[in-house]
């Protein structure tokens, strides 16, 4: 189990073309993470890029030759049967120009072909991703913007630079996003023809929070990790994803629409609104069954009597899946509904009961007493039960892998 592997990136051929921006140091990390994820990464460096980072750095992290000239790799190894620009483009799944300078984009917009990068970009037939990075307001310049617009119009996929502080000390738009964001965009492009292409999937994540005054709430140990991993897996399969979440600390997968919620009632409202046009709902959230009967307007103060406690009366929350079931019985939508059962005893019995009561197509049952599974862990041990009575026992695996298996089942159920 290698947590850095990403199924979608496994055995993909990615051309990473880097240009002369200080942000090229971030591209080293990107090349490394893509390689660890399972991709074969062929790096092309412009002359200017080599002023910032040496080819050997990329060669070390990718374990492959780095290409610096039209006819030859930096290591002196040329492609065996082709001249480099054709050979590199052939069979590549994606070409990323990351970071892309204003100069490189200007060249590409005009179809110039005077170095390995620009020639390869013209020869490549795979999706081309451009992540501009430049200092001092150059990104906002009309000339740069016109070139960006031309490239997008021709089908390039743009990763917008972020606002922030530049190497020069100036502040503005032009910073290259962090590696996880870059990889999120790359996943979106590679996944777009996946099994859930054209489908909308709604995922809930985290433990609901039930407030009883402006500063205090009742919640549970759910970290939201399984829900976020499910959202990413659905994105990898090409779905449009809405993530209804109580978690504020996990990075939102690139491409997911986040609907932040706190209480069970908020989550219920969001689920009903978001599933109106959805194909599937995956309820990974740990929903609180009870909420305080009242919420104090002001912070509840201790009384002068040191021995006095505080009694909070709890009342039942609505069951979100039961409410969805009622609507689904009438409308047939969403077509697929998946639930979770986190149990501390009689796992299968309780899970089967929930599957039936809540009218689910599939339930992921996990034993929360195991230390390597359930709340907050990065791994999970899950049994998938479906409405036809079949059982699939998944061995211990990362929450990302569990999510892929669940999303595969969702795709199968949708047909
Ligand atoms: N769930 C829900 N609404 C609730 C409680 C739970 O939609 N008010 C969903 C959860 O998101 C999960 C499934 O129902 O997908 C099972 O949740 P769980 O907490 O395990 O079960 P409960 O219905 O609360 O049953 P019990 O109290 O018997 O464990």
């Amino acid at each position: 189990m290698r947590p850095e592997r990403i199924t979608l990136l496994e055995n993909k051929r990615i051309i990473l073309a880097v240009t002369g921006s200080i942000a090229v140091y971030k591209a080293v990390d990107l090349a490394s993470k893509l390689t660890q994820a399972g991709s074969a990464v062929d790096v092309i460096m412009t002359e200017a890029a080599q002023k910032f980072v040496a080819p050997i750095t990329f060669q070390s992290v990718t374990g492959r030759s780095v290409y610096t000239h039209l006819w030859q790799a930096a290591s002196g190894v040329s492609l065996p049967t082709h001249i480099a620009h054709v050979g590199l483009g052939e069979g590549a799944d994606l070409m990323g120009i990351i970071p892309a300078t204003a100069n490189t984009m200007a060249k590409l917009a005009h179809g110039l072909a005077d170095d390995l990068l620009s020639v390869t970009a013209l020869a490549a037939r795979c999706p081309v991703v451009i992540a501009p990075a430049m200092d001092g307001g150059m990104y906002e310049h009309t000339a740069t913007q016109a070139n960006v617009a031309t490239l997008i119009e021709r089908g390039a996929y743009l990763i917008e630079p972020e606002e922030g502080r530049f190497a020069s000390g100036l502040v503005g738009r032009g910073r290259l996003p962090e590696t996880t964001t870059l990889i999120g965009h790359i996943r979106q492009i590679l996944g777009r023809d996946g099994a859930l292409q054209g489908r909308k999937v709604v995922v809930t994540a985290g433990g609901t929070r039930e407030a009883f005054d402006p500063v205090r709430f009742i919640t549970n140990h759910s970290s939201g990790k399984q829900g976020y991993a499910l959202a990413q897996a659905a994105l990898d399969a090409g779905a449009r994803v809405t993530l209804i979440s109580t978690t504020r600390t996990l990075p939102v997968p690139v491409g997911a629409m986040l609907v932040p919620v706190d209480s069970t009632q908020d989550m219920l409202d969001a689920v009903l609104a978001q599933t109106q046009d959805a194909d599937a709902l995956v309820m990974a959230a740990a929903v609180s069954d009870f909420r305080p009967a009242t919420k104090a307007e002001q912070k509840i103060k201790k009384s002068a009597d040191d021995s006095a406690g505080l009694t909070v009366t709890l009342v039942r929350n609505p069951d979100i899946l039961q409410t969805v079931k009622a609507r689904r019985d009438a409308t047939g939508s969403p077509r697929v509904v998946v639930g979770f059962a986190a149990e501390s005893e009689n796992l299968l019995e309780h899970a089967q009961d929930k599957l039936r009561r809540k009218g689910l197509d599939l339930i992921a049952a996990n034993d929360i007493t195991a230390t390597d599974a359930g709340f907050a862990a990065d791994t999970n041990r899950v049994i998938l039960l479906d409405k036809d009575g079949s059982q699939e026992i998944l061995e211990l695996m990362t929450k990302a892998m569990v999510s892929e298996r669940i999303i595969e089942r969702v795709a199968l159920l949708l047909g």
Side-chain angles (χ1 to χ4, degrees), residues 221-262:
H221 286 299
S222 171
S223 63
K225 284 180 185 171
Q226 186 66 72
Y228 277 60
L230 279 156
Q232 181 65 66
L235 287 161
D236 283 357
R240 277 183 297 131
V241 174
T242 299
L243 179 58
I244 300 171
S245 170
T246 62
T247 303
R248 301 287 186 272
T249 47
L250 294 174
V252 178
V254 172
M257 189 185 92
L258 178 75
V259 180
V261 294
D262 283 314

Tab-separated table of all heavy atoms in Angstrom, residues 221-262:
chain	number	residue	atom	x	y	z
A	221	HIS	N	-16.220	12.345	16.181
A	221	HIS	CA	-14.810	12.276	15.787
A	221	HIS	C	-14.564	12.249	14.287
A	221	HIS	O	-13.425	12.100	13.856
A	221	HIS	CB	-14.169	11.026	16.402
A	221	HIS	CG	-13.917	11.148	17.865
A	221	HIS	ND1	-13.078	12.110	18.388
A	221	HIS	CD2	-14.408	10.462	18.921
A	221	HIS	CE1	-13.042	11.988	19.696
A	221	HIS	NE2	-13.862	11.008	20.049
A	222	SER	N	-15.594	12.365	13.481
A	222	SER	CA	-15.389	12.267	12.033
A	222	SER	C	-14.427	13.359	11.546
A	222	SER	O	-14.585	14.534	11.877
A	222	SER	CB	-16.727	12.403	11.309
A	222	SER	OG	-16.494	12.510	9.933
A	223	SER	N	-13.448	12.961	10.734
A	223	SER	CA	-12.463	13.930	10.222
A	223	SER	C	-12.868	14.468	8.850
A	223	SER	O	-12.348	15.488	8.402
A	223	SER	CB	-11.102	13.249	10.082
A	223	SER	OG	-11.189	12.204	9.111
A	224	GLY	N	-13.755	13.764	8.175
A	224	GLY	CA	-14.135	14.159	6.814
A	224	GLY	C	-13.251	13.545	5.739
A	224	GLY	O	-13.528	13.681	4.548
A	225	LYS	N	-12.168	12.855	6.155
A	225	LYS	CA	-11.193	12.344	5.165
A	225	LYS	C	-11.823	11.392	4.152
A	225	LYS	O	-11.531	11.463	2.961
A	225	LYS	CB	-10.049	11.605	5.877
A	225	LYS	CG	-9.053	12.529	6.527
A	225	LYS	CD	-7.965	11.718	7.213
A	225	LYS	CE	-7.006	12.621	7.974
A	225	LYS	NZ	-6.079	11.840	8.802
A	226	GLN	N	-12.698	10.487	4.624
A	226	GLN	CA	-13.303	9.526	3.701
A	226	GLN	C	-14.194	10.252	2.678
A	226	GLN	O	-14.172	9.932	1.493
A	226	GLN	CB	-14.106	8.465	4.466
A	226	GLN	CG	-14.651	7.360	3.599
A	226	GLN	CD	-13.564	6.482	2.984
A	226	GLN	OE1	-12.924	5.700	3.673
A	226	GLN	NE2	-13.349	6.638	1.681
A	227	GLY	N	-14.933	11.252	3.147
A	227	GLY	CA	-15.801	12.009	2.235
A	227	GLY	C	-14.997	12.786	1.196
A	227	GLY	O	-15.351	12.806	0.008
A	228	TYR	N	-13.898	13.404	1.633
A	228	TYR	CA	-13.067	14.165	0.687
A	228	TYR	C	-12.426	13.224	-0.335
A	228	TYR	O	-12.306	13.555	-1.514
A	228	TYR	CB	-12.010	14.994	1.439
A	228	TYR	CG	-12.575	16.304	1.946
A	228	TYR	CD1	-13.647	16.310	2.843
A	228	TYR	CD2	-12.085	17.528	1.513
A	228	TYR	CE1	-14.200	17.496	3.291
A	228	TYR	CE2	-12.634	18.732	1.962
A	228	TYR	CZ	-13.688	18.705	2.850
A	228	TYR	OH	-14.239	19.883	3.287
A	229	ALA	N	-12.021	12.047	0.141
A	229	ALA	CA	-11.427	11.066	-0.777
A	229	ALA	C	-12.475	10.593	-1.789
A	229	ALA	O	-12.166	10.373	-2.965
A	229	ALA	CB	-10.865	9.887	0.002
A	230	LEU	N	-13.718	10.454	-1.347
A	230	LEU	CA	-14.794	10.057	-2.258
A	230	LEU	C	-15.040	11.129	-3.316
A	230	LEU	O	-15.256	10.821	-4.491
A	230	LEU	CB	-16.082	9.808	-1.466
A	230	LEU	CG	-16.164	8.441	-0.804
A	230	LEU	CD1	-17.112	8.475	0.378
A	230	LEU	CD2	-16.596	7.384	-1.811
A	231	ALA	N	-15.013	12.387	-2.879
A	231	ALA	CA	-15.211	13.486	-3.832
A	231	ALA	C	-14.102	13.451	-4.881
A	231	ALA	O	-14.362	13.585	-6.086
A	231	ALA	CB	-15.202	14.827	-3.093
A	232	GLN	N	-12.862	13.226	-4.434
A	232	GLN	CA	-11.739	13.165	-5.377
A	232	GLN	C	-11.892	11.972	-6.330
A	232	GLN	O	-11.652	12.096	-7.531
A	232	GLN	CB	-10.414	13.076	-4.607
A	232	GLN	CG	-9.187	13.029	-5.498
A	232	GLN	CD	-8.971	14.307	-6.303
A	232	GLN	OE1	-8.703	15.358	-5.756
A	232	GLN	NE2	-9.135	14.228	-7.619
A	233	ALA	N	-12.312	10.838	-5.803
A	233	ALA	CA	-12.470	9.647	-6.652
A	233	ALA	C	-13.553	9.878	-7.701
A	233	ALA	O	-13.419	9.456	-8.857
A	233	ALA	CB	-12.810	8.431	-5.794
A	234	ALA	N	-14.634	10.562	-7.306
A	234	ALA	CA	-15.707	10.846	-8.271
A	234	ALA	C	-15.209	11.826	-9.339
A	234	ALA	O	-15.527	11.683	-10.526
A	234	ALA	CB	-16.929	11.401	-7.547
A	235	LEU	N	-14.395	12.799	-8.922
A	235	LEU	CA	-13.803	13.733	-9.898
A	235	LEU	C	-12.887	12.985	-10.862
A	235	LEU	O	-12.906	13.218	-12.069
A	235	LEU	CB	-12.994	14.822	-9.179
A	235	LEU	CG	-13.803	15.881	-8.441
A	235	LEU	CD1	-12.931	16.601	-7.426
A	235	LEU	CD2	-14.396	16.883	-9.428
A	236	ASP	N	-12.082	12.073	-10.316
A	236	ASP	CA	-11.169	11.278	-11.149
A	236	ASP	C	-11.937	10.462	-12.181
A	236	ASP	O	-11.391	10.116	-13.229
A	236	ASP	CB	-10.339	10.315	-10.285
A	236	ASP	CG	-9.199	11.026	-9.560
A	236	ASP	OD1	-9.018	12.240	-9.773
A	236	ASP	OD2	-8.490	10.361	-8.779
A	237	ALA	N	-13.190	10.116	-11.839
A	237	ALA	CA	-14.006	9.338	-12.779
A	237	ALA	C	-14.786	10.255	-13.721
A	237	ALA	O	-15.628	9.800	-14.483
A	237	ALA	CB	-14.949	8.425	-12.012
A	238	GLY	N	-14.529	11.564	-13.634
A	238	GLY	CA	-15.117	12.497	-14.594
A	238	GLY	C	-16.433	13.127	-14.173
A	238	GLY	O	-17.075	13.823	-14.969
A	239	ALA	N	-16.857	12.892	-12.912
A	239	ALA	CA	-18.148	13.436	-12.464
A	239	ALA	C	-18.050	14.923	-12.114
A	239	ALA	O	-16.975	15.430	-11.829
A	239	ALA	CB	-18.628	12.661	-11.242
A	240	ARG	N	-19.204	15.574	-12.134
A	240	ARG	CA	-19.330	16.893	-11.498
A	240	ARG	C	-19.628	16.587	-10.042
A	240	ARG	O	-20.509	15.765	-9.745
A	240	ARG	CB	-20.518	17.664	-12.070
A	240	ARG	CG	-20.223	18.394	-13.351
A	240	ARG	CD	-21.440	19.189	-13.799
A	240	ARG	NE	-22.572	18.316	-14.093
A	240	ARG	CZ	-23.815	18.492	-13.639
A	240	ARG	NH1	-24.112	19.517	-12.857
A	240	ARG	NH2	-24.785	17.653	-13.968
A	241	VAL	N	-18.907	17.232	-9.150
A	241	VAL	CA	-19.018	16.844	-7.748
A	241	VAL	C	-19.385	18.022	-6.864
A	241	VAL	O	-18.794	19.091	-6.954
A	241	VAL	CB	-17.678	16.225	-7.255
A	241	VAL	CG1	-17.732	15.941	-5.762
A	241	VAL	CG2	-17.369	14.947	-8.023
A	242	THR	N	-20.403	17.796	-6.023
A	242	THR	CA	-20.725	18.764	-4.984
A	242	THR	C	-20.368	18.118	-3.653
A	242	THR	O	-20.790	16.991	-3.379
A	242	THR	CB	-22.224	19.113	-5.004
A	242	THR	OG1	-22.522	19.685	-6.273
A	242	THR	CG2	-22.571	20.136	-3.920
A	243	LEU	N	-19.585	18.833	-2.859
A	243	LEU	CA	-19.135	18.311	-1.577
A	243	LEU	C	-19.797	19.130	-0.474
A	243	LEU	O	-19.523	20.318	-0.325
A	243	LEU	CB	-17.608	18.434	-1.507
A	243	LEU	CG	-16.899	17.974	-0.249
A	243	LEU	CD1	-17.188	16.513	0.064
A	243	LEU	CD2	-15.384	18.189	-0.395
A	244	ILE	N	-20.699	18.481	0.257
A	244	ILE	CA	-21.400	19.157	1.355
A	244	ILE	C	-20.656	18.768	2.627
A	244	ILE	O	-20.651	17.598	3.013
A	244	ILE	CB	-22.871	18.719	1.416
A	244	ILE	CG1	-23.572	19.061	0.092
A	244	ILE	CG2	-23.586	19.363	2.595
A	244	ILE	CD1	-24.988	18.487	-0.043
A	245	SER	N	-19.987	19.744	3.249
A	245	SER	CA	-19.024	19.377	4.293
A	245	SER	C	-19.089	20.268	5.528
A	245	SER	O	-19.303	21.469	5.434
A	245	SER	CB	-17.617	19.462	3.692
A	245	SER	OG	-16.648	19.354	4.698
A	246	THR	N	-18.856	19.626	6.666
A	246	THR	CA	-18.727	20.384	7.923
A	246	THR	C	-17.260	20.663	8.222
A	246	THR	O	-16.946	21.409	9.125
A	246	THR	CB	-19.273	19.555	9.100
A	246	THR	OG1	-18.482	18.372	9.226
A	246	THR	CG2	-20.721	19.180	8.907
A	247	THR	N	-16.378	20.030	7.461
A	247	THR	CA	-14.936	20.146	7.717
A	247	THR	C	-14.412	21.431	7.085
A	247	THR	O	-14.798	21.770	5.980
A	247	THR	CB	-14.222	18.925	7.088
A	247	THR	OG1	-14.804	17.761	7.644
A	247	THR	CG2	-12.751	18.928	7.370
A	248	ARG	N	-13.542	22.125	7.815
A	248	ARG	CA	-13.005	23.374	7.271
A	248	ARG	C	-11.506	23.288	7.019
A	248	ARG	O	-10.912	24.216	6.495
A	248	ARG	CB	-13.250	24.536	8.258
A	248	ARG	CG	-14.702	24.779	8.602
A	248	ARG	CD	-15.469	25.419	7.442
A	248	ARG	NE	-16.821	25.762	7.854
A	248	ARG	CZ	-17.852	24.934	7.782
A	248	ARG	NH1	-17.679	23.715	7.296
A	248	ARG	NH2	-19.048	25.304	8.194
A	249	THR	N	-10.892	22.182	7.413
A	249	THR	CA	-9.431	22.143	7.407
A	249	THR	C	-8.838	21.338	6.249
A	249	THR	O	-7.680	21.518	5.911
A	249	THR	CB	-8.910	21.538	8.727
A	249	THR	OG1	-9.653	20.352	8.992
A	249	THR	CG2	-9.088	22.506	9.888
A	250	LEU	N	-9.606	20.468	5.631
A	250	LEU	CA	-9.042	19.657	4.544
A	250	LEU	C	-9.090	20.441	3.231
A	250	LEU	O	-10.033	21.198	2.992
A	250	LEU	CB	-9.846	18.363	4.379
A	250	LEU	CG	-9.790	17.366	5.533
A	250	LEU	CD1	-10.751	16.204	5.273
A	250	LEU	CD2	-8.373	16.839	5.722
A	251	PRO	N	-8.074	20.276	2.376
A	251	PRO	CA	-8.125	20.961	1.079
A	251	PRO	C	-9.258	20.403	0.210
A	251	PRO	O	-9.422	19.188	0.114
A	251	PRO	CB	-6.752	20.661	0.455
A	251	PRO	CG	-6.190	19.521	1.224
A	251	PRO	CD	-6.854	19.478	2.567
A	252	VAL	N	-10.019	21.309	-0.376
A	252	VAL	CA	-11.151	20.890	-1.217
A	252	VAL	C	-10.576	20.390	-2.550
A	252	VAL	O	-9.790	21.097	-3.183
A	252	VAL	CB	-12.106	22.075	-1.464
A	252	VAL	CG1	-13.262	21.661	-2.369
A	252	VAL	CG2	-12.606	22.629	-0.147
A	253	PRO	N	-10.927	19.176	-2.975
A	253	PRO	CA	-10.391	18.672	-4.243
A	253	PRO	C	-10.696	19.651	-5.388
A	253	PRO	O	-11.802	20.201	-5.465
A	253	PRO	CB	-11.145	17.353	-4.442
A	253	PRO	CG	-11.601	16.945	-3.092
A	253	PRO	CD	-11.837	18.214	-2.328
A	254	VAL	N	-9.701	19.850	-6.242
A	254	VAL	CA	-9.868	20.786	-7.364
A	254	VAL	C	-11.025	20.313	-8.242
A	254	VAL	O	-11.064	19.155	-8.654
A	254	VAL	CB	-8.575	20.865	-8.204
A	254	VAL	CG1	-8.803	21.675	-9.481
A	254	VAL	CG2	-7.442	21.461	-7.387
A	255	GLY	N	-11.955	21.217	-8.487
A	255	GLY	CA	-13.082	20.893	-9.356
A	255	GLY	C	-14.362	20.616	-8.588
A	255	GLY	O	-15.447	20.667	-9.153
A	256	ALA	N	-14.242	20.332	-7.275
A	256	ALA	CA	-15.449	20.064	-6.488
A	256	ALA	C	-16.086	21.392	-6.082
A	256	ALA	O	-15.386	22.365	-5.800
A	256	ALA	CB	-15.107	19.260	-5.239
A	257	MET	N	-17.421	21.414	-6.065
A	257	MET	CA	-18.101	22.595	-5.547
A	257	MET	C	-18.388	22.347	-4.073
A	257	MET	O	-19.031	21.363	-3.720
A	257	MET	CB	-19.402	22.846	-6.302
A	257	MET	CG	-20.001	24.189	-5.914
A	257	MET	SD	-21.594	24.462	-6.678
A	257	MET	CE	-22.667	23.815	-5.431
A	258	LEU	N	-17.889	23.239	-3.219
A	258	LEU	CA	-18.044	23.054	-1.779
A	258	LEU	C	-19.298	23.764	-1.285
A	258	LEU	O	-19.524	24.928	-1.588
A	258	LEU	CB	-16.824	23.615	-1.049
A	258	LEU	CG	-16.888	23.515	0.473
A	258	LEU	CD1	-16.647	22.072	0.923
A	258	LEU	CD2	-15.882	24.442	1.132
A	259	VAL	N	-20.111	23.034	-0.516
A	259	VAL	CA	-21.223	23.673	0.192
A	259	VAL	C	-20.935	23.494	1.681
A	259	VAL	O	-21.077	22.393	2.215
A	259	VAL	CB	-22.577	23.022	-0.176
A	259	VAL	CG1	-23.716	23.700	0.585
A	259	VAL	CG2	-22.826	23.083	-1.675
A	260	PRO	N	-20.457	24.544	2.346
A	260	PRO	CA	-20.126	24.393	3.761
A	260	PRO	C	-21.389	24.387	4.616
A	260	PRO	O	-22.291	25.209	4.401
A	260	PRO	CB	-19.265	25.628	4.074
A	260	PRO	CG	-19.482	26.589	2.958
A	260	PRO	CD	-20.190	25.900	1.836
A	261	VAL	N	-21.471	23.451	5.535
A	261	VAL	CA	-22.618	23.389	6.447
A	261	VAL	C	-22.110	23.085	7.850
A	261	VAL	O	-20.950	22.704	8.023
A	261	VAL	CB	-23.625	22.281	6.035
A	261	VAL	CG1	-24.296	22.588	4.705
A	261	VAL	CG2	-22.964	20.909	5.981
A	262	ASP	N	-22.982	23.266	8.840
A	262	ASP	CA	-22.627	22.914	10.213
A	262	ASP	C	-23.553	21.845	10.778
A	262	ASP	O	-23.132	20.759	11.095
A	262	ASP	CB	-22.676	24.161	11.111
A	262	ASP	CG	-21.464	25.051	10.910
A	262	ASP	OD1	-20.352	24.501	10.880
A	262	ASP	OD2	-21.625	26.275	10.764
